[in-house]
Amino acid sequence: MSFVKTVASAAILAAAAASAADARDQIRIVGSSTVFPFSTAVAEQFGRSTDFQTPVVESTGSGGGIKLFCAGVGTEHPDITNASRRMKAKEFKLCADNGVTEVTEAVVGFDGIVIANAKGGPSLSVTREQLVIALAAQGPLPEMWSDVDPSLPAIKIEVLGPPPSSGTRDAFEELVMHEGCEGAGIACDGITIREDGAYIEAGENDNLIVSKLEANPNAVGVFGFSFLDQNSDKLQGAVVDGIEPTFENIADGAYPVARSLYFYIKNAHVGVIPGLQEYANEFMSEAAAGEEGYLVDKGLIPLPEDEFETISGNVQSLTKMTGNEWN
């Protein structure tokens, strides 16, 4: 084949690929494994109740989802990313550097990070300081929970948790490791989770952690409250700092390991990808994320009414992030 024909063929293939991309009529959503079941429920309801196609939702982890989302504008890139922690300033800059200059942030509700094990295993009541002693790479590296404190069970420390790409991991490090380090007598500067096998990275699939806990009742898992709520027949949550991980305790701020859940809209794709605005509106509707919405039945802790109305309005008007959110 001649050089001219080769170039021509490549151009035809590129044009065909571009045409196929331009024709995408299904919303693509990536991101947090914690937000995944809520986003999926909205996608399924959206597909049933509208003439739009059911969105595709992928569980990639918060960090991985934001990286994909911020890679550029165009139908080869995701339209929405879910996150179980706020987008970081450096990620917002990555978006801007890649031409994703108009992004709308939505806080969906709240979630707690629970320490849980299988029913039939020992009941746990721990402090954040004890968790730091058990899991800090800079700490004494105990082998048994009873080495941390004699009041804890004499079983091996095995914690199944999310990897660094996960927003749950980010929030756990902030709310447990960084807030509990001083009381644990461990230097907070540069504190990290140990990597000698006591903490086992179990991937972004929280359902997989649940099944592993069932197989090993002495192991504990770290994941969002919604997964504990949906598996309450199989799992029990540990008391943390004297507070049980319940819907009520997370909602009123008593439970110490709780965080906000987010999704981010790529505004440039609104009007290009059919149904994108409508899907976002459904997510932030009273019927879905309101105090008696169908997402509450799946474990979402709803926002206070006034905050919910503000954020719902921001989604409907596609209020852009300014870059001052971290000031």
Side-chain angles (χ1 to χ4, degrees):
M1 182 179 289
S2 71
F3 174 76
V4 173
K5 287 184 177 179
T6 301
V7 172
S9 298
I12 291 170
L13 288 171
S19 177
D22 290 341
R24 179 160 69 85
D25 59 358
Q26 196 168 24
I27 299 166
R28 183 184 172 207
I29 304 164
V30 295
S32 165
S33 63
T34 302
V35 184
F36 175 79
F38 304 132
S39 185
T40 298
V42 176
E44 291 172 350
Q45 173 64 21
F46 183 72
R48 286 193 300 266
S49 61
T50 72
D51 294 330
F52 299 109
Q53 290 200 46
T54 301
V56 174
V57 186
E58 300 173 65
S59 177
T60 63
S62 297
I66 292 172
K67 185 176 180 180
L68 291 168
F69 177 84
C70 289
V73 171
T75 49
E76 69 271 30
H77 302 292
D79 312 305
I80 286 177
T81 188
N82 301 319
S84 57
R85 46 89 173 160
R86 190 174 218 175
M87 179 184 285
K88 299 173 183 177
K90 65 181 180 181
E91 292 169 330
F92 183 75
K93 183 179 184 302
L94 174 65
C95 267
D97 290 345
N98 288 330
V100 185
T101 57
E102 297 188 1
V103 175
T104 293
E105 177 184 76
V107 181
V108 182
F110 304 112
D111 188 36
I113 298 175
V114 301
I115 317 299
N117 65 335
K119 286 188 171 179
S123 298
L124 288 175
S125 178
V126 295
T127 65
R128 282 181 286 179
E129 288 78 9
Q130 289 170 339
L131 289 171
V132 172
I133 293 169
L135 296 176
Q138 294 77 12
L141 305 179
E143 293 186 9
M144 312 280 283
W145 284 105
S146 55
D147 295 335
V148 175
D149 190 288
S151 67
L152 296 175
I155 56 175
K156 183 180 177 182
I157 297 172
E158 293 180 89
V159 179
L160 305 175
S165 59
S166 167
T168 299
R169 169 73 169 259
D170 287 339
F172 181 82
E173 289 180 347
E174 176 186 347
L175 297 171
V176 174
M177 303 302 290
H178 288 281
E179 293 195 10
C181 54
E182 288 188 8
I186 295 172
C188 295
D189 188 34
I191 191 169
T192 56
I193 292 177
R194 58 196 291 191
E195 298 180 351
D196 61 351
Y199 182 95
I200 303 158
E201 292 183 7
E204 297 285 3
N205 187 341
D206 291 341
N207 286 313
L208 181 60
I209 296 180
V210 171
S211 65
K212 288 184 176 181
L213 294 179
E214 288 186 272
N216 182 3
N218 284 338
V220 300
V222 176
F223 43 81
F225 167 77
S226 61
F227 284 88
L228 173 63
D229 186 57
Q230 295 298 306
N231 294 279
S232 59
D233 58 328
K234 306 171 187 175
L235 302 178
Q236 57 186 353
V239 173
V240 179
D241 289 349
I243 307 295
E244 293 184 23
T246 65
F247 182 99
E248 292 76 17
N249 287 341
I250 297 168
D252 67 16
Y255 184 70
V257 194
R259 44 43 190 300
S260 299
L261 302 178
Y262 300 80
F263 70 87
Y264 293 88
I265 308 163
K266 189 172 295 176
N267 295 1
H269 285 195
V270 175
V272 177
I273 305 301
L276 181 55
Q277 178 73 70
E278 290 83 355
Y279 167 84
N281 290 347
E282 170 65 23
F283 209 146
M284 291 308 303
S285 68
E286 284 280 359
E291 291 185 355
E292 297 183 7
Y294 57 82
L295 295 182
V296 174
D297 293 335
K298 294 189 172 295
L300 181 72
I301 314 297
L303 296 168
E305 188 61 31
D306 56 346
E307 187 176 353
F308 176 83
E309 290 180 359
T310 298
I311 293 170
S312 181
N314 289 344
V315 167
Q316 291 177 28
S317 63
L318 294 177
T319 300
K320 296 185 295 184
M321 296 177 69
T322 65
N324 295 321
E325 286 79 6
W326 300 272
N327 296 336

